[in-house]
Amino acid sequence: MRGDSNERLTILSQAQKTALYGIPDFDDFQRIEFFAMTEAERSLALQRRGILKQVYCLLQIGYFKAKQAFFQFTLDEVPPEDVAFLLQRYFPEQTLSVAPMSTKEYYAQRREIVALFGYRLWTDNDVATLRDKATLLARTDVTPTFLLAELMVFLIGQRIVRPGYSTLQSIIRDALTAERDRLEQQVESALTDVTRAALQELLMRENTLSDLAALKQDAKSFGYRQMGLERQKRLTLAPLYAIAKALLPSLDLSQLNIAYYASLANFYTIYDLRRFKPGQTHLYLLCYAWQRYRQLTDNVVEAFGYHTRQLEDDTKAVANQQAAQIHNERQQATPRVGELLLLYVDDSLTDVTPFGTVRHRAFRIMPEEQLRSTGKLLTQTPVSQMDLRWQAVDKQSGLCTKNLRPLALALDFASSSASGKVWLAALQWMKEVFIRQQRLAKQPLEDIPQRTIPTRLRNFLLSFDPDGKPIGLRSDRYEFWVYRQLRKRLDAGDIYLDDSVQHRRFADDLVSMQAKADALKALYIPWLRQPVDQTLDALFVELDTQWRAFDSELRSGKLKHLEFDPVKQTLMWHRPKADKDKQLQQGFYAKLQARDVADVFRFVNERCNFLSAMTPLQPRYAKKVADADSLMAVIIAQAMNHGNFKMAETCDIPYHVLEATHQQHLRPATLIEASDILSNFIASLPIFPYYSIDMDVLYGSVDGQKFAAASPTLKARHSRKYFGKDRGVVAYTLLANHVALQTQLLGANQHESYWVFDICYNNTSDIKPTTITGDMHSINMANFAILHWFGMNLAPRFTNLHAQLKHLYRGPDQEGYADFLIQPVGQIDRHLIAAEKSNLDHIAATLGLKEMSQSVLVRKICTLSGHHRTRKALFEYPPCQTSCRSP
């Protein structure tokens, strides 16, 4: 958004700006840390003439160590505790006369301090370098806060004292303007008259508003009608997507930026899009068509998998039920059949006894009709489980035709493996038959694609004449069989879709290191910054150190929560005792008076002004700042699942005001920014560090909270464990010191570990946890490596101690563990990791450039073969896991 009248970009809130550029506000511990001077630092200060200049210099040194910046101030403007601390520590029993510091002395102190710490001052010559770097970074992410954070990392790495805030504002503004101009020019030059007319037609048709509104609506379920609408949306977007597919790859746009521009097309109205410059409008529409078409493809694929699995589960359940029923009938008939057999050896029945008498006695044992049905049951060949499954498929053939066939025919599958191509040939054959409006059962047997009917299933998929010769195809069964195989191979990665986000081929998602070399240099990714041998050497040394420290502390009894039984040779865990302060805490919070939610909102907003982040989508046509009461009402209405209409009925704000406020001000970008303002304000409070369980390490925790969904969506899934008969979603959240930093909505059927890196890497607040913990749902073998590549550490909470002892490894060529109480189970394959460095670089670069989310990456890696070398190397990567928490 635009800031002050000189059109500088507003990147930071006032609180954030103060935190970055304001004089540090130390607590007692920080004051001791930053004002503890080395001999060289103390000598630099004490060589100045007079106690006044010496105190100024000590203050500048301490503040520079804290923020790598300089401040012009008088002693009245700094916290008096800082001055008192320095006087007591370095000038005991001396008095200080307050006087202004000369400009000459200020600049002299700056020069000497930067020389002491190996920094250099910012110069005008650095503007071009920083602008070029920001321009490159803008191709990855156009978010101003991202650019600012990356530029700060670059300045620290180059040991350059950062410039003023206005300078960074201008640099980032110029970079974003240059990126926007570059894209608009390339789009306009690349569009032909035909493609430009197609885009303009979308904006000029009378039914455009209804068409785009329908395109923007998400499906509510995987039902037949909803999926029919999804397929129709794909057909509507297909011409625009073809244009975007030909043009966007040449623009050097990251997937994150494509998503950002697509969101603008989603939020702006047709009227607004018509008023923008043509290049800007065309860019938004093309990005929207690119992203939306792929989302719709994923929705159709997910529906195909959902209905296939549901059909499989239903037929299996029916078959199991019938098998159990047949088994019960046989079990119930067995005792009475035994009684009937005993009639043949009954001595009371002689050989001359009339058979009618025997029959009457038999009917008393089992009624005639039951005897007939039981005899027929026992004389027939028992029905196999496989027979029952296919019979159940016959009964469900209508659902297969109704739900699965339209979805399968709408998708353009592809495959590079021989096994996948077999089933794609079967699908193509079926498509051709259906296009001719013919039945599969009427096709000649020789037309059936080869290798699609295995020998073990011939009797179930083919029909035979009395002589046992195959005469036709059982079409319903064969169609279901093909769909089932397509779904299995899609999950395994043998089959993929090019026009998809979740189901593209793994290799196609990875970026080219050569093409992205300049952009990667602008990012700080530790794994890409140093040689692999250097990284592995440090990791294996740390791993060996932790092995030896663990064994020593376990023997000496320093690990109070662990105990080794020398007789049973087992390790036992002692659960920590309950917190003794729990009653004290409950008593403290019980004294707090209850307050209305609106009063809490107003109180917090008065302190940090988080509602200022709720900027309008169209600032030219809307009020700059919305009414605070309307914003609070809309936020509460959405958070409580009440909705604007119900809120309007219970408050004094009209519905149309709430709806306009919702449409104009509430969107992911403003909600995230408001959340960041709150998080950063909480982090600035003196009590914030004391919530940490370790003052030296900031822990972040990831976990999912289940919520029943008020409105049906594709993410809302059934889960009896969490929602009973309802459907719901999972709010996956990153927290640090009780502050929620980032949240992602997941489906209840998705594994939470796929989003650990995403939620940490996309955290835009100033609170940056370096150690991430979570429950067992946060664990997959790739997370340890990926987080370590980006300077973080995963320390999950394991619930089964003995299960994890089977996964403790040592480094190669590390000896001396034979006498350890706990033995490594093997050694890490260092050679494999080093050999796969280039492929691992591709993965790290793709994640760093935000070309693919970790959720997609991990799912695809897990579908690779267990013998795939890159997969094995990623899972073998040795970040030290002995820091992981126990139960």
Side-chain angles (χ1 to χ4, degrees):
M1 65 178 181
R2 294 296 177 187
D4 34 30
S5 58
N6 61 0
E7 293 189 346
R8 287 200 180 100
L9 199 66
T10 302
I11 305 173
L12 303 175
S13 66
Q14 188 59 42
Q16 293 171 318
K17 183 179 175 182
T18 301
L20 191 61
Y21 284 94
I23 295 176
D25 185 13
F26 293 150
D27 58 28
D28 293 339
F29 293 100
Q30 292 171 328
R31 197 170 289 113
I32 294 172
E33 176 185 358
F34 292 111
F35 287 146
M37 303 295 172
T38 64
E39 189 62 32
E41 295 165 359
R42 185 175 179 181
S43 175
L44 173 64
L46 297 183
Q47 70 182 5
R48 324 209 75 78
R49 293 183 179 180
I51 185 175
L52 178 63
K53 295 181 180 179
Q54 293 173 356
V55 170
Y56 267 100
C57 191
L58 289 172
L59 287 170
Q60 287 285 17
I61 292 173
Y63 293 159
F64 183 82
K65 290 194 291 186
K67 290 193 175 182
Q68 292 78 50
F70 293 102
F71 309 91
Q72 283 188 298
F73 53 81
T74 64
L75 291 185
D76 294 333
E77 295 172 339
V78 300
E81 296 84 359
D82 293 351
V83 178
F85 178 86
L86 292 175
L87 290 175
Q88 181 181 2
R89 183 160 187 169
Y90 298 106
F91 310 98
E93 300 180 359
Q94 296 189 43
T95 58
L96 176 66
S97 299
V98 178
M101 179 63 60
S102 67
T103 304
K104 181 179 179 182
E105 176 63 21
Y106 166 74
Y107 285 111
Q109 289 186 10
R110 281 206 322 172
R111 289 193 301 270
E112 296 180 29
I113 291 173
V114 295
L116 176 65
F117 288 97
Y119 277 73
R120 69 175 179 85
L121 295 171
W122 169 268
T123 65
D124 291 340
N125 296 330
D126 296 319
V127 173
T129 302
L130 216 59
R131 186 184 292 115
D132 292 342
K133 186 165 290 293
T135 303
L136 275 176
L137 287 167
R139 299 189 182 188
T140 300
D141 190 344
V142 292
T143 307
T145 52
F146 168 79
L147 297 178
L148 178 64
E150 290 296 330
L151 292 181
M152 298 297 290
V153 170
F154 171 77
L155 290 170
I156 294 174
Q158 297 296 315
R159 303 188 74 79
I160 301 174
V161 178
R162 62 174 172 261
Y165 177 53
S166 60
T167 302
L168 289 176
Q169 283 179 303
S170 300
I171 289 173
I172 294 175
R173 179 202 61 197
D174 293 343
L176 293 177
T177 301
E179 174 66 4
R180 183 174 62 249
D181 293 341
R182 179 187 73 87
L183 292 174
E184 291 177 5
Q185 292 172 7
Q186 291 192 16
V187 167
E188 285 304 289
S189 62
L191 288 177
T192 64
D193 293 338
V194 175
T195 55
R196 191 176 286 107
L199 291 169
Q200 289 298 325
E201 184 182 357
L202 183 63
L203 297 176
M204 297 303 175
R205 290 203 309 264
E206 293 182 359
N207 60 342
T208 294
L209 290 175
S210 59
D211 283 352
L212 278 187
L215 289 174
K216 295 175 183 179
Q217 291 294 324
D218 288 323
K220 297 180 179 180
S221 67
F222 291 126
Y224 173 75
R225 292 183 180 276
Q226 290 292 320
M227 287 301 104
L229 293 174
E230 295 293 278
R231 298 196 305 275
Q232 184 59 45
K233 294 173 190 176
R234 287 181 80 243
L235 290 175
T236 303
L237 280 176
L240 281 181
Y241 177 73
I243 301 172
K245 189 175 181 180
L247 176 60
L248 291 185
S250 65
L251 299 182
D252 195 18
L253 269 173
S254 70
Q255 293 297 324
L256 188 72
N257 280 348
I258 290 177
Y260 170 74
Y261 295 129
S263 69
L264 295 180
N266 189 45
F267 282 114
Y268 283 119
T269 66
I270 295 297
Y271 175 75
D272 298 320
L273 293 174
R274 288 173 181 170
R275 293 171 62 90
F276 292 152
K277 292 187 295 185
Q280 185 178 359
T281 300
H282 295 159
L283 174 65
Y284 293 171
L285 289 177
L286 289 174
C287 290
Y288 178 77
W290 169 281
Q291 187 187 51
R292 187 59 174 154
Y293 187 89
R294 294 189 167 204
Q295 288 176 345
L296 292 171
T297 300
D298 285 339
N299 290 347
V300 175
V301 174
E302 291 298 317
F304 178 76
Y306 171 82
H307 285 297
T308 305
R309 280 186 287 268
Q310 188 178 49
L311 197 56
E312 290 182 46
D313 293 341
D314 290 346
T315 55
K316 185 177 181 180
V318 170
N320 290 338
Q321 183 179 4
Q322 290 180 345
Q325 182 179 352
I326 293 173
H327 178 73
N328 290 336
E329 290 176 357
R330 287 177 174 270
Q331 288 290 97
Q332 294 173 2
T334 299
R336 296 190 177 184
V337 171
E339 294 183 39
L340 292 174
L341 292 175
L342 289 176
L343 291 177
Y344 287 94
V345 294
D346 190 346
D347 295 337
S348 63
L349 297 174
T350 64
D351 293 340
V352 296
T353 303
F355 186 70
T357 303
V358 178
R359 291 181 62 185
H360 287 302
R361 291 187 61 176
F363 292 155
R364 287 199 298 270
I365 297 173
M366 184 179 292
E368 181 177 358
E369 290 302 322
Q370 186 177 357
L371 181 58
R372 291 180 185 275
S373 60
T374 301
K376 185 177 180 180
L377 176 66
L378 295 178
T379 55
Q380 292 177 343
T381 303
V383 181
S384 67
Q385 186 78 9
M386 185 70 75
D387 282 315
L388 294 175
R389 287 288 298 274
W390 286 112
Q391 291 174 14
V393 170
D394 293 336
K395 296 178 181 179
Q396 301 281 6
S397 60
L399 292 177
C400 181
T401 302
K402 177 183 178 181
N403 292 327
L404 288 177
R405 183 184 294 176
L407 299 174
L409 299 183
L411 296 170
D412 297 321
F413 295 106
S415 178
S416 56
S417 66
S419 61
K421 291 179 179 179
V422 169
W423 299 105
L424 294 187
L427 178 62
Q428 183 61 33
W429 176 69
M430 290 166 52
K431 285 184 178 181
E432 294 172 355
V433 173
F434 295 146
I435 290 174
R436 297 195 301 265
Q437 296 184 350
Q438 297 176 353
R439 296 180 57 193
L440 296 178
K442 299 296 183 180
Q443 304 305 307
L445 291 180
E446 57 269 17
D447 289 350
I448 301 174
Q450 297 182 357
R451 297 166 52 194
T452 58
I453 300 181
T455 303
R456 62 185 180 87
L457 296 181
R458 282 176 56 85
N459 293 336
F460 302 104
L461 299 179
L462 298 176
S463 56
F464 298 86
D465 62 13
D467 298 329
K469 181 181 178 179
I471 57 175
L473 181 69
R474 306 188 74 164
S475 57
D476 293 337
R477 295 185 177 186
Y478 181 81
E479 186 176 2
F480 169 75
W481 171 246
V482 172
Y483 295 153
R484 183 174 181 269
Q485 294 303 312
L486 288 173
R487 196 269 302 170
K488 287 177 60 178
R489 279 153 180 77
L490 189 64
D491 291 343
D494 290 338
I495 293 175
Y496 57 88
L497 293 98
D498 290 325
D499 303 324
S500 168
V501 177
Q502 302 285 341
H503 302 282
R504 295 183 70 204
R505 185 168 50 182
F506 176 65
D508 293 340
D509 282 319
L510 301 180
V511 300
S512 169
M513 299 293 289
Q514 292 76 21
K516 298 290 185 179
D518 293 337
L520 289 172
K521 290 178 182 178
L523 293 174
Y524 179 70
I525 304 177
W527 170 254
L528 301 178
R529 291 295 181 95
Q530 57 187 5
V532 62
D533 288 333
Q534 181 180 344
T535 301
L536 295 179
D537 286 342
L539 284 172
F540 287 129
V541 168
E542 182 183 358
L543 182 60
D544 181 67
T545 302
Q546 292 195 12
W547 263 112
R548 299 185 186 281
F550 172 68
D551 185 74
S552 174
E553 293 176 2
L554 184 61
R555 290 178 182 275
S556 62
K558 292 182 179 180
L559 303 177
K560 303 300 182 183
H561 57 289
L562 292 175
E563 180 181 349
F564 185 77
D565 188 336
V567 178
K568 298 181 180 179
Q569 294 290 303
T570 57
L571 190 65
M572 294 177 292
W573 161 262
H574 298 293
R575 188 176 297 277
K577 295 182 180 179
D579 188 359
K580 297 180 181 179
D581 297 332
K582 187 174 183 180
Q583 294 181 351
L584 179 63
Q585 293 175 6
Q586 291 177 345
F588 171 79
Y589 289 111
K591 296 178 182 178
L592 298 179
Q593 297 181 6
R595 289 289 184 268
D596 291 338
V597 174
D599 293 336
V600 175
F601 261 71
R602 291 190 180 92
F603 174 82
V604 176
N605 189 53
E606 288 173 0
R607 297 300 187 274
C608 63
N609 195 25
F610 71 94
L611 289 180
S612 63
M614 299 294 172
T615 55
L617 185 63
Q618 303 110 323
R620 295 182 180 179
Y621 318 119
K623 293 183 295 182
K624 275 285 183 182
V625 179
D627 176 62
D629 288 340
S630 300
L631 282 174
M632 289 188 291
V634 170
I635 293 173
I636 294 174
Q638 301 306 312
M640 303 297 291
N641 272 335
H642 293 331
N644 296 330
F645 184 78
K646 188 173 182 180
M647 176 61 73
E649 290 182 330
T650 56
C651 72
D652 56 355
I653 303 176
Y655 171 74
H656 73 275
V657 175
L658 295 180
E659 190 65 18
T661 303
H662 185 191
Q663 295 297 328
Q664 274 287 316
H665 298 271
L666 256 71
R667 57 189 187 276
T670 56
L671 290 171
I672 291 173
E673 186 176 351
S675 176
D676 287 346
I677 293 175
L678 284 169
S679 301
N680 297 338
F681 178 77
I682 294 173
S684 67
L685 298 176
I687 198 175
F688 178 78
Y690 296 97
Y691 282 103
S692 300
I693 60 176
D694 188 335
M695 296 295 288
D696 297 326
V697 179
L698 180 58
Y699 280 85
S701 175
V702 290
D703 198 5
Q705 189 174 3
K706 281 69 178 177
F707 293 96
S711 302
T713 65
L714 292 184
K715 284 187 177 180
R717 298 293 185 89
H718 290 285
S719 177
R720 183 175 299 178
K721 177 181 179 181
Y722 299 115
F723 312 119
K725 295 182 179 180
D726 295 330
R727 292 183 294 182
V729 296
V730 176
Y732 195 57
T733 306
L734 168 66
L735 299 103
N737 289 5
H738 307 288
V739 180
L741 306 179
Q742 191 82 358
T743 296
Q744 176 75 40
L745 279 183
L746 314 180
N749 62 319
Q750 296 172 316
H751 203 280
E752 295 175 1
S753 66
Y754 290 3
W755 275 266
V756 173
F757 171 78
D758 287 345
I759 202 169
C760 296
Y761 192 58
N762 293 324
N763 170 31
T764 53
S765 73
D766 294 339
I767 305 174
K768 303 293 185 182
T770 54
T771 298
I772 309 301
T773 184
D775 57 16
M776 295 295 290
H777 292 166
S778 67
I779 300 173
N780 67 59
M781 295 301 293
N783 279 350
F784 292 99
I786 292 173
L787 288 177
H788 187 265
W789 291 347
F790 289 83
M792 292 176 280
N793 178 40
L794 179 62
R797 175 185 179 272
F798 294 122
T799 56
N800 190 327
L801 178 64
H802 295 286
Q804 298 308 317
L805 294 179
K806 300 176 183 178
H807 300 285
L808 296 179
Y809 288 80
R810 62 178 176 85
D813 303 324
Q814 292 180 349
E815 305 295 341
Y817 300 144
D819 297 331
F820 280 17
L821 297 179
I822 303 299
Q823 298 285 324
V825 298
Q827 71 176 23
I828 297 170
D829 190 344
R830 173 175 180 153
H831 175 74
L832 175 63
I833 299 172
E836 289 294 312
K837 173 66 162 64
S838 60
N839 292 326
L840 297 179
D841 285 349
H842 279 284
I843 295 174
T846 303
L847 292 173
L849 292 170
K850 303 183 180 181
E851 291 292 329
M852 179 170 55
S853 66
Q854 184 229 2
S855 57
V856 177
L857 171 75
V858 174
R859 185 189 63 79
K860 292 185 177 181
I861 288 177
C862 291
T863 61
L864 297 175
S865 167
H867 301 289
H868 195 282
R869 288 179 59 82
T870 304
R871 180 181 187 270
K872 291 174 65 176
L874 181 63
F875 290 178
E876 195 83 3
Y877 187 81
C880 297
Q881 301 174 18
T882 51
S883 62
C884 299
R885 297 190 293 129
S886 299

